[in-house]
Amino acid sequence: MQVSIEDSASSVTSPASMLSTNTPVSRIKLERFGKSSVVLARCPATEGQAAPDQSAYAPLFQNASDIVANYRGLLRAAHIVPDELARIDLCGPSKPVPKPTARKSAPKNR
């Protein structure tokens, strides 16, 4: 059995600010060996219609959100992830790629 808990953010922010907030869980998936998966997902409102009533599932989503927050805290993700990203410089300004220099060929001996 495998459990997958997902959350997402709708805006682009820095890794540090993303990890400092506890976004609510939007999807819970239970995968069972040899059986079909069971998925519970929040249903957003669609154009012209209100979101469906999922209040009965609110405690499950809240418990899953608490689990993700505890997991991030135990892993110290708010400290480790930004440090690691800074170390590999993924979040820094992009550096221009240097143009290859023309090489002079060696003189030919006759």
Side-chain angles (χ1 to χ4, degrees), residues 8-54:
S8 61
S10 59
S11 64
V12 178
T13 61
S14 70
S17 63
M18 182 66 191
L19 289 167
S20 67
T21 60
N22 289 324
T23 54
V25 167
S26 58
R27 188 170 187 263
I28 304 167
K29 181 177 182 181
L30 177 65
E31 295 183 29
R32 304 173 296 170
F33 183 70
K35 297 181 180 181
S36 59
S37 298
V38 177
V39 178
L40 180 61
R42 291 188 193 266
C43 298
T46 58
E47 192 173 315
Q49 295 181 356
D53 181 21
Q54 291 185 307

Side-chain angles (χ1 to χ4, degrees), residues 5 22-25 42 60-70:
I5 301 173
N22 289 324
T23 54
V25 167
R42 291 188 193 266
L60 292 173
F61 284 116
Q62 182 58 50
N63 286 341
S65 296
D66 293 342
I67 289 169
V68 171
N70 286 336

Side-chain angles (χ1 to χ4, degrees), residues 85-97:
L85 290 176
R87 191 181 66 121
I88 59 174
D89 200 30
L90 285 178
C91 297
S94 61
K95 297 176 183 172
V97 177

